[in-house]
Amino acid sequence: MEYTKHGNSVEGYITFNLYFETFDYKEDSLLEQIKFTTAKELFNIMQPDFIEELKQENGAEQVEIHDITFRAKEGDTEAFITMYDNSGNYRISTNLDVSGLDSEYKETLLGIKDILGKKI
């Protein structure tokens, strides 16, 4: 699977954690996820001006980057790489062709039956 064809071909999501002060003066937070389709979009979203704008639009006390997820897809296979503050996560999902499993299962059972028949 080819994750990036060239430097600008990047797709994924960036998630921000928006923190709010409640009337009880306890911190409350909300996750805001934004999709990006190019490296330029990702870097623009990570700029202090954009983060400040996000903060003002939502009335948040503080905004932090929670995670960035990169996505790649080829055919039925999709891969995700998520980077958090101090850790990462990697996941692949794919559609499996199981159309032949029934016949393979039956052949295996018949083989076991033949072996048992010969031994008994």
Side-chain angles (χ1 to χ4, degrees):
M1 179 181 303
E2 192 173 323
Y3 291 100
T4 55
K5 290 183 176 43
H6 54 82
N8 204 30
S9 181
V10 176
E11 183 177 300
Y13 300 91
I14 184 167
T15 306
F16 293 97
N17 208 345
L18 286 70
Y19 294 96
F20 302 93
E21 287 289 329
T22 64
F23 292 111
D24 298 330
Y25 299 105
K26 294 179 183 173
E27 281 193 344
D28 240 347
S29 68
L30 174 71
L31 294 177
E32 175 77 20
Q33 191 173 66
I34 300 171
K35 183 177 182 175
F36 58 88
T37 55
T38 65
K40 185 176 181 180
E41 282 182 6
L42 172 61
F43 292 128
N44 287 339
I45 292 169
M46 293 175 68
Q47 295 304 311
D49 293 345
F50 183 87
I51 294 174
E52 185 62 32
E53 202 175 292
L54 189 64
K55 181 178 167 181
Q56 289 178 4
E57 283 178 6
N58 290 282
E61 294 292 320
Q62 185 179 345
V63 175
E64 295 177 354
I65 295 177
H66 183 267
D67 64 74
I68 301 174
T69 300
F70 297 94
R71 177 182 172 266
K73 185 171 184 178
E74 185 174 297
D76 286 340
T77 303
E78 198 167 17
F80 297 89
I81 298 174
T82 303
M83 297 186 309
Y84 298 93
D85 192 14
N86 290 322
S87 65
N89 186 348
Y90 181 71
R91 175 172 58 98
I92 294 178
S93 61
T94 186
N95 292 333
L96 299 174
D97 181 15
V98 293
S99 57
L101 282 184
D102 282 342
S103 61
E104 287 179 30
Y105 180 67
K106 287 176 188 172
E107 285 178 32
T108 303
L109 286 179
L110 288 173
I112 292 170
K113 182 180 174 192
D114 286 344
I115 291 169
L116 289 175
K118 291 175 185 175
K119 294 288 180 186
I120 296 178

